[in-house]
Amino acid sequence: MSGSPALFDAHLHLRDARILPFHARYVKDALDVGVTACIDCATRPEEWAMEVSSSLAATTAYGLHPWYASVSVPNWLERLECVLASDPNAPVGEIGLDGIRRVHDGGTAQRAVLFAQLDLAARLGRPVILHGARVWPLLLRLLEPWADRICAWQLHGINFSHELLALPFFKRANAWFSVGGGLLKPAARLLPELLPHLPLNRLLVETDSPDRFPIGGDPLVLGQHQLLYNQPGNLRCILRAAATLRALPVDELAEQTAQNARDFLAAR
Ligand SMILES: [Zn+2]
């Protein structure tokens, strides 16, 4: 894509088992549309240990995702600290609380796993990538004690009312806001209303691929098979929707969000 700015996908999952067999195609499609850099979230011990080589400039984040909080993995916290020690640039993530999948313990395990990882990130001075699907108001209140103990936050896949920006968390937190395919849902209300309230130099764009296949996006295509997996190439339609809401040229927003992603990773 000569002449177009390089795009930065601020949140995806290169190690997801569903796309590993199609990895080369997934990366080629990304590069074809100009996505050259990404933050790749390794979400559980099997993924932390994986070697993934890719021509995308990928920064890997390591963390135990809330979906795996009740899976019993011996010494998981020590193993996480070990893998972080071996990669001094790695953020901690994605971690958080989840309101999509039903849990049977009232969220106790998710909270314990989250708080342990926040303490680790604070001690090691690492940025945090945060998952708060459907529980953002609760999560942002719970995180208040950590707000300025973490050097940088990426709030990933945000979808909440702009009124939450008045919470005490945001007065002390060094926060970046990552916007994904939710923006393309015809019924989306909160996110289109929130977007103009966010500081332009704190805005990130993400696909969260292979999840969150966006309406109007292109699926990962393999020969005659169309797999409805999301891919980083769909970052362009998310950027277009965000640029319309911010009344900015797409290329300008692409450059700005790529710079913002680099700033987030450099924050210490
Ligand atoms: Zn994710």
Side-chain angles (χ1 to χ4, degrees):
M1 300 281 293
S2 59
S4 298
L7 311 185
F8 198 126
D9 191 335
H11 187 112
L12 52 67
H13 300 275
L14 283 180
R15 293 141 199 266
D16 189 292
R18 290 167 296 169
I19 54 156
L20 275 184
F22 321 117
H23 189 77
R25 180 62 197 244
Y26 178 87
V27 169
K28 182 184 176 303
D29 286 357
L31 294 169
D32 282 353
V33 300
V35 176
T36 59
C38 65
I39 300 175
D40 163 33
C41 296
T43 57
R44 52 197 154 133
E46 302 92 293
E47 292 185 0
W48 304 342
M50 241 177 232
E51 293 283 338
V52 179
S53 71
S54 150
S55 31
L56 281 173
T59 299
T60 305
Y62 303 92
L64 192 63
H65 192 288
W67 288 349
Y68 311 115
S70 15
V71 177
S72 139
V73 180
N75 305 324
W76 70 269
L77 194 57
E78 289 80 0
R79 287 164 71 183
L80 178 59
E81 181 161 0
C82 230
V83 81
L84 287 166
S86 71
D87 188 349
N89 294 318
V92 175
E94 80 183 83
I95 64 174
L97 298 182
D98 177 71
I100 299 175
R101 297 192 183 178
R102 193 182 291 269
V103 291
H104 301 290
D105 67 350
T108 307
Q110 287 192 9
R111 287 185 197 203
V113 160
L114 169 62
F115 297 162
Q117 292 179 98
L118 289 173
D119 283 338
L120 180 62
R123 182 157 57 79
L124 300 180
R126 303 297 178 94
V128 162
I129 295 174
L130 200 59
H131 171 112
R134 297 191 193 162
V135 289
W136 285 111
L138 165 72
L139 179 58
L140 292 170
R141 285 182 179 93
L142 280 174
L143 291 184
E144 228 184 285
W146 280 276
D148 55 6
R149 288 181 58 210
I150 300 297
C151 58
W153 299 87
Q154 179 202 105
L155 277 62
H156 126 78
I158 52 166
N159 185 21
F160 52 72
S161 161
H162 63 88
E163 286 158 13
L164 290 193
L165 297 175
L167 285 176
F169 174 83
F170 289 112
K171 301 211 172 4
R172 303 201 328 273
N174 190 21
W176 277 256
F177 300 88
S178 191
V179 172
L183 204 53
L184 301 168
K185 288 185 184 161
R189 291 242 182 289
L190 291 177
L191 190 50
E193 277 171 26
L194 171 63
L195 198 65
H197 292 269
L198 300 174
L200 191 57
N201 65 346
R202 294 307 179 108
L203 202 56
L204 305 172
V205 283
E206 62 166 64
T207 58
D208 200 10
S209 55
D211 284 318
R212 306 235 180 172
F213 181 77
I215 290 168
D218 291 320
L220 188 62
V221 177
L222 293 154
Q224 303 150 330
H225 306 289
Q226 285 218 345
L227 302 175
L228 277 182
Y229 294 154
N230 193 7
Q231 55 169 328
N234 288 321
L235 197 63
R236 206 160 262 290
C237 53
I238 295 165
L239 263 167
R240 267 199 300 270
T244 302
L245 284 162
R246 293 298 299 229
L248 284 172
V250 178
D251 281 0
E252 194 178 319
L253 189 63
E255 261 174 52
Q256 177 75 56
T257 50
Q259 183 56 49
N260 296 347
R262 291 188 288 271
D263 291 346
F264 164 71
L265 289 172
R268 285 295 188 273

